[in-house]
Structure formats: structure tokens, C-alpha cells
Amino acid sequence: MNSSIVSQHFFISLKSSLDLQCWKSSSPSSISTGEFKEIHDKLQILKLPLTMSDRGLSKISCSLSLQTEKLRYDNDDNDDLELHEELIPKHIALIMDGNRRWAKAKGLEVYEGHKLIIPKLKEICDISSKLGIQVITAFAFSTENWKRSKEEVDFLMQLFEEFFNEFLRFGVRVSVIGCKSNLPMTLQKCIALTEETTKGNKGLHLVIALNYGGYYDILQATKSIVNKAMNGLLDVEDINKNLFDQELESKCPNPDLLIRTGGEQRVSNFLLWQLAYTEFYFTNTLFPDFGEKDLKKAILNFQQRHRRFGGHTY
């Protein structure tokens, strides 16, 4: 390919990229300083020799396209993320991480970060209901969290009592998964009252994973199946995935999307069986700062995935 053709193709690619960036602004005057610098930097590429190979040109074109896409979805001024209603996830699993770090970063006691769990989760439930999400399963306290100091655990147990009292009147259906027998009796009573009072609520179903772990869930399901088999209630041949699903504590369809706040990129013993084909989304945003825009970004990212469940459609 001669240099004039390379120049022409490169300019067309660059112009398309810049047009897309300007398109997201309502007018040229609305381009921010950061966007102007981005355009300026791209224009500097024109100073490169025009004898590059097709491969080199392809790399630059792809780079410009990727930068444009990133600007479209990551720009802080873009508050109106357009979601596809037909691709809204039905069930979102949520690891609410970063409360302690949020408090420490502000010079506060860790308890101040924990206190924001209730209002923040209510906010997320409200947004999710409007978006048409059917189930939120939120990881509140794991089987490993008992390792924390007695003072912090006692505080969290008291906070969870307040939590369930708050959600008695919030209008969503609330249920709890996890080993309740190890929880304080007053908390067990709050859970029972909330589950009974809200079981008829329509719309969003909020599942709280409290004293829950994926290992625990799989083990208790296994024990239940073995016990039934020993008592002649089922044959070994009856044991399959569907039967195992029914014995797990979660009685909802498996999550479509897992969101973990706080920057960590692991599932931390959460819904180990149920997350087999769930899409994962990790964000550095700490849970107290996780709001409507952050939730919509996670859903938009989910909607760009191609879910094949082990097969293919191409």
C-alpha cells in the first residue's frame, strides 16, 4: 500500500474516531478540556511517517476506536447511560465491600462505614425496582467474618437488627440465606418477623446472605440429599443438578450478574455453586459511594457481554 493511500485511510479512521467523540457532546463548545487534549494528542499522530504497514495502521485505528468507546462510557459527565430494557439482568448478586476502608480514608471509625449499609442498600433496591431487576442477593456477613473482633461483630449484629426493622416497611420482599441458628436470638426473631411480614410483597426480592458461605451451602445441601437417600426418600440415580439446586438455600434463579465493590477481584466464598455462569463485574468504587450511575455502568457492561453458557451462536 503506497503512502498516499495509507494517509487517506489513516485520516478517515482518525476522523471517524473524532466525530464519535464530538457526537457525544451536544455542541463543539461543550467539549471539555480533557476531551480537547485527547483530540490534540490524536492529531499529533499525523506527524508520523506515512510509510507504516497495514498492521501498524490497523493497530492505530483499533487504539483510536477503543479510546473513543472508553470516553463514551467512562466520561464523568455522562449521567444518562442508555440501558437496553430487554437485557436488564433479572438477578444481581452483590458483594458490598469497602465500608471499612471508606471510613478509614475519612479518618472515621470503621463502624461509620458499616452504618451506611442500610441507606445504601435501600437506595440500590429503589433503583433496581425502577429498572425491572427482580432479585438482589446481597452478601452481608460471611461464615468467615466471625474472625473479626468481638466489638465489630457485636456492632454488626445490632446493625442487622436495625436493618430488618427498616425493611419491614420498605415494600420489598426480604428473605435470608445462611445459618441462622448461630445468630443472636433477638436477630433471629427480627429475621423471622421480616420474612413473614414481607413475603407477600410484589416486585423486588431482596435476599440477604447472613452468616453465609458457599462451602456451607454446598455441604448442607449434600447432607440433606444423603439423609434423604439413607431414609429411602430418593435413589442415588435421582441425584442431579436440578435436585441439588433445590437443596441449596437460595431458591431463586442463579444470578445473571455479580457486582463486587471495593476493588477486590474474588468471590470470597459467595454463592459458589450458583455463580457457575454468572457474569462478573468488579469496581474500585467503595460500597458507600456506589450509586445509581455505578449500578447502571455495571449493567451496561453486562449488556455488552455475549453469554453462550458453554455453547456458541456464531
Side-chain angles (χ1 to χ4, degrees):
M1 181 180 291
N2 63 45
S3 62
S4 62
I5 295 176
V6 170
S7 176
Q8 181 181 18
H9 279 265
F10 178 72
F11 182 78
I12 291 172
S13 174
L14 178 63
K15 182 179 184 301
S16 298
S17 178
L18 297 181
D19 285 346
L20 278 171
Q21 181 167 333
C22 292
W23 164 78
K24 76 182 183 65
S25 303
S26 57
S27 67
S29 61
S30 67
I31 297 177
S32 68
T33 302
E35 291 167 348
F36 179 81
K37 183 179 183 302
E38 194 82 26
I39 294 173
H40 177 270
D41 291 341
K42 290 174 183 176
L43 288 172
Q44 298 308 304
I45 299 174
L46 288 173
K47 295 181 181 178
L48 294 173
L50 296 178
T51 57
M52 66 185 71
S53 65
D54 291 347
R55 184 179 180 184
L57 178 61
S58 176
K59 285 184 177 180
I60 292 176
S61 177
C62 290
S63 175
L64 289 175
S65 298
L66 288 172
Q67 290 179 44
T68 302
E69 288 300 309
K70 187 175 187 302
L71 282 169
R72 287 180 63 191
Y73 296 120
D74 290 349
N75 181 28
D76 289 339
D77 295 330
N78 187 3
D79 292 323
D80 188 21
L81 299 176
E82 294 185 9
L83 302 177
H84 299 284
E85 185 177 347
E86 68 279 7
L87 297 178
I88 293 293
K90 294 180 174 62
H91 183 179
I92 292 181
L94 178 62
I95 300 179
M96 306 178 289
D97 196 14
N99 302 290
R100 294 156 55 94
R101 280 172 284 155
W102 181 90
K104 288 181 178 180
K106 296 182 179 299
L108 303 172
E109 295 290 333
V110 295
Y111 311 114
E112 298 301 319
H114 291 318
K115 286 179 182 177
L116 295 175
I117 292 176
I118 297 175
K120 181 56 62 174
L121 196 50
K122 289 175 74 174
E123 176 189 347
I124 290 173
C125 286
D126 186 53
I127 298 165
S128 299
S129 295
K130 293 175 182 177
L131 292 175
I133 295 165
Q134 298 175 11
V135 183
I136 296 274
T137 298
F139 206 6
F141 191 88
S142 76
T143 50
E144 290 71 39
N145 286 153
W146 295 104
K147 299 174 185 177
R148 296 184 180 182
S149 69
K150 184 178 184 304
E151 291 77 16
E152 184 175 359
V153 170
D154 289 345
F155 176 84
L156 287 170
M157 294 299 125
Q158 180 61 44
L159 184 67
F160 294 142
E161 288 188 30
E162 297 176 17
F163 173 89
F164 289 110
N165 287 330
E166 281 283 328
F167 274 82
L168 269 174
R169 301 172 293 277
F170 191 59
V172 302
R173 178 188 170 194
V174 180
S175 58
V176 175
I177 58 174
C179 184
K180 303 182 186 71
S181 61
N182 291 347
L183 299 174
M185 187 56 65
T186 52
L187 179 54
Q188 292 184 45
K189 291 179 179 179
C190 286
I191 292 171
L193 177 61
T194 303
E195 288 184 321
E196 178 63 27
T197 304
T198 65
K199 67 180 182 181
N201 289 347
K202 306 299 181 183
L204 183 72
H205 181 189
L206 175 63
V207 181
I208 301 297
L210 187 56
N211 193 24
Y212 175 88
Y215 295 151
Y216 153 80
D217 201 2
I218 292 172
L219 286 172
Q220 68 81 27
T222 303
K223 290 176 181 178
S224 176
I225 291 172
V226 169
N227 185 58
K228 289 179 180 178
M230 290 177 63
N231 286 286
L233 299 177
L234 57 84
D235 296 324
V236 174
E237 291 73 19
D238 297 328
I239 302 174
N240 54 31
K241 178 184 177 299
N242 290 335
L243 176 65
F244 206 89
D245 284 340
Q246 295 169 16
E247 294 294 338
L248 292 168
E249 294 223 343
S250 55
K251 305 302 180 185
C252 307
N254 292 338
D256 303 298
L257 171 64
L258 166 73
I259 300 173
R260 178 167 188 156
T261 63
E264 302 292 353
Q265 299 187 21
R266 55 178 177 267
V267 298
S268 296
N269 194 22
F270 185 41
L271 300 175
L272 296 181
W273 176 280
Q274 297 90 333
L275 295 178
Y277 276 101
T278 298
E279 300 293 328
F280 290 3
Y281 180 86
F282 303 106
T283 174
N284 290 327
T285 303
L286 303 177
F287 186 66
D289 294 326
F290 189 82
E292 180 173 1
K293 183 179 178 183
D294 300 289
L295 179 59
K296 287 183 175 180
K297 276 187 177 180
I299 294 173
L300 182 60
N301 182 278
F302 167 81
Q303 294 184 341
Q304 295 168 346
R305 311 279 182 94
H306 185 197
R307 307 186 75 196
R308 297 185 294 273
F309 299 96
H312 65 81
T313 56
Y314 52 83

